[in-house]
Amino acid sequence: MLLFTPGPTPVPQNVRNAMSDETMHHRTPEFEAIFEKTRKHLFKLFNTDEVVMLSSSGTGAMEAAVINLCHNTLLNVNSGKFGERFGKIALANGLKNVEIKNEWNTPVSVEEVIEAVKNNSDIDAIAVQISESAGGLRHPVEEIAKAVKAINPNIMIIADGITAVGVEKIDITNIDCLIAGSQKALMLPPGLAILGLGNKAIEKIGKGKGYYFNLATEIKSQRKNTTAWTAATTLIIGLLEVLETIEKDGGIEKLYAKTEVRANAVQSALEAIGLHVYPKTPAKSMTTIDDEDASNIRKMLKNEFSVNVAGGQDHLNGKIFRINQMGLIQDYEMAWVVNAVEMVLSKLGRRAYDGRANRVFNEILFGI
Ligand SMILES: *Cc1c(COP(=O)(O)O)cnc(C)c1O
């Protein structure tokens, strides 16, 4: 079965091998050496002043960012399940919350954010997804960050890059906190989250907030190549292997370029066979199709062509399907996925099969 959900994503064989050794003790020079190397790679990936690894799923890093960087009112951007989550985290932690809500195919505009900031001087942090995985859309995070900082440089910008870090180059000039998670673009099993932090964020963190997710405690330990609590040793060993593999494969810029072409190829191939791309501003992490047969298409892809793609949640349940484009994906696997979608449409009687999806895909991906 080909796993083509936008998280979890498949773990490469060499990464699985690297994680199959005996469990290492985390308070040892051996593990600290691995931790140090991994940190060095992460600094290059994030381009931030500090990086922190947490033993948690991505939501843990979202909570860590909110409690440590928002002390008054959080403005969150809700164009989907993950954006909504930021607001819930703020309220659960006794913070005030303002939300900008849009349909799941609609990115927030810079103007909406600026208006909200101008209308509420209590807002001291803004949380937004770079790629909102619920509908596969890209928010204009860099533009928002720039515009907000021009009004008030003390407002913290928390960018959830769980389906963006490792997918595309992110301009972190005005971003204070950038979040990644292991099981999406980083091709690992779930359970590890990473935060990239700017110096302004570190300043605001001060002594930190919370206990397990106190970022001041973590920063202090991680600068010494250890962690405050037990490290997710196996996942960090896997992360080092992933980051070394990307480097050996030609580097992160090559992966960004490859992902971009792949995203264009998949999207164009599916549009060429009459399918409709759901988000108004598609992210490179995934292609999201809205379709009345979405449920059937997914089932047939899985049962007849061994392709596992994701559906939609909440009001989009049964109305969309999402195809992953993150990670070191084999071209022949991706080609099979678009081909399978075309065969499913043919089986559903929607369109006579003529290989058009694969043709468009190959033309774009290989320049044939
Ligand atoms: C998956 C995801 C999360 C949540 O991560 P968990 O690992 O499920 O806690 C948050 N934000 C985005 C954009 C995601 O895709």
Side-chain angles (χ1 to χ4, degrees):
M1 184 70 68
L2 293 181
L3 181 62
F4 265 86
T5 57
T9 58
V11 182
Q13 181 69 57
N14 63 311
V15 178
R16 278 178 288 166
N17 291 349
M19 293 189 296
S20 66
D21 264 344
E22 281 180 348
T23 303
M24 211 181 239
H25 195 284
H26 54 292
R27 309 283 182 213
T28 56
E30 291 81 7
F31 182 69
E32 285 170 15
I34 290 170
F35 195 88
E36 185 176 9
K37 272 202 222 167
T38 311
R39 253 172 83 77
K40 282 198 178 127
H41 277 284
L42 287 176
F43 275 111
K44 281 196 272 173
L45 179 66
F46 279 74
N47 289 310
T48 46
D49 300 312
E50 190 51 78
V51 293
V52 175
M53 290 175 254
L54 300 175
S55 305
S56 78
S57 84
T59 306
M62 292 167 73
E63 180 147 8
V66 170
I67 64 174
N68 285 274
L69 294 174
C70 179
H71 298 163
N72 188 343
T73 302
L74 182 79
L75 171 64
N76 72 300
V77 167
N78 176 357
S79 293
K81 203 104 191 119
F82 297 105
E84 177 188 55
R85 189 170 300 173
F86 269 128
K88 289 183 174 175
I89 290 171
L91 294 175
N93 284 286
L95 295 161
K96 288 183 286 177
N97 170 233
V98 179
E99 180 174 272
I100 302 174
K101 196 170 177 177
N102 281 303
E103 188 41 65
W104 289 16
N105 65 347
T106 306
V108 72
S109 68
V110 176
E111 294 71 33
E112 282 173 295
V113 174
I114 295 306
E115 197 193 315
V117 167
K118 284 186 173 162
N119 284 339
N120 188 335
S121 57
D122 283 347
I123 292 170
D124 66 329
I126 299 175
V128 56
Q129 274 60 35
I130 297 175
S131 152
E132 168 54 81
S133 313
L137 72 80
R138 177 69 157 88
H139 283 299
V141 176
E142 295 90 336
E143 290 86 342
I144 290 168
K146 189 173 174 203
V148 169
K149 292 288 184 185
I151 297 176
N152 181 354
N154 293 325
I155 295 177
M156 290 285 121
I157 307 289
I158 301 167
D160 171 357
I162 294 178
T163 51
V165 175
V167 171
E168 58 173 312
K169 187 155 193 103
I170 298 151
D171 176 6
I172 51 100
T173 312
N174 296 297
I175 291 173
D176 299 289
C177 172
L178 179 62
I179 300 169
S182 55
Q183 80 274 26
K184 310 273 172 86
L186 296 176
M187 301 170 265
L188 288 164
L192 185 72
I194 307 154
L195 296 113
L197 297 162
N199 283 333
K200 246 186 125 55
I202 295 168
E203 213 175 285
K204 180 151 184 188
I205 289 165
K207 292 196 165 91
K209 289 268 166 66
Y211 187 76
Y212 185 74
F213 287 133
N214 184 313
L215 290 177
T217 316
E218 278 303 341
I219 290 169
K220 196 166 159 227
S221 296
Q222 299 201 12
R223 283 181 174 163
K224 291 184 257 172
N225 297 313
T226 188
T227 48
W229 327 116
T230 304
T233 47
T234 307
L235 288 168
I236 292 170
I237 290 166
L239 177 58
L240 178 58
E241 184 72 16
V242 164
L243 297 171
E244 285 179 344
T245 305
I246 293 172
E247 200 164 271
K248 272 186 228 141
D249 200 58
I252 193 71
E253 297 292 338
K254 183 182 163 199
L255 178 58
Y256 293 152
K258 193 79 213 249
T259 307
E260 178 159 20
V261 181
R262 186 188 300 129
N264 289 341
V266 172
Q267 196 178 312
S268 302
L270 299 187
E271 283 178 325
I273 53 172
L275 291 174
H276 180 253
V277 172
Y278 173 68
K280 292 176 190 163
T281 52
K284 294 180 178 71
S285 52
M286 67 195 78
T287 290
T288 303
I289 299 293
D290 56 324
D291 196 283
E292 55 183 11
D293 289 325
S295 223
N296 263 338
I297 293 172
R298 264 187 81 209
K299 271 188 215 133
M300 289 167 75
L301 281 172
K302 189 168 178 200
N303 297 334
E304 299 178 39
F305 299 102
S306 301
V307 174
N308 191 358
V309 302
Q313 293 166 291
D314 295 358
H315 65 294
L316 292 184
N317 185 9
K319 302 221 163 66
I320 60 167
F321 62 96
R322 296 172 296 147
I323 302 177
N324 177 48
Q325 280 142 201
M326 297 175 274
L328 294 158
I329 295 175
Q330 300 297 338
D331 295 334
Y332 54 82
E333 290 188 352
M334 197 82 251
W336 174 251
V337 175
V338 296
N339 188 41
V341 174
E342 181 171 354
M343 289 193 283
V344 165
L345 290 193
S346 160
K347 287 193 162 214
L348 285 169
R350 296 250 304 248
R351 188 181 172 281
Y353 183 85
D354 59 6
R356 189 171 164 80
N358 250 155
R359 181 184 164 152
V360 170
F361 178 83
N362 291 342
E363 281 170 355
I364 295 173
L365 201 76
F366 301 107
I368 295 287

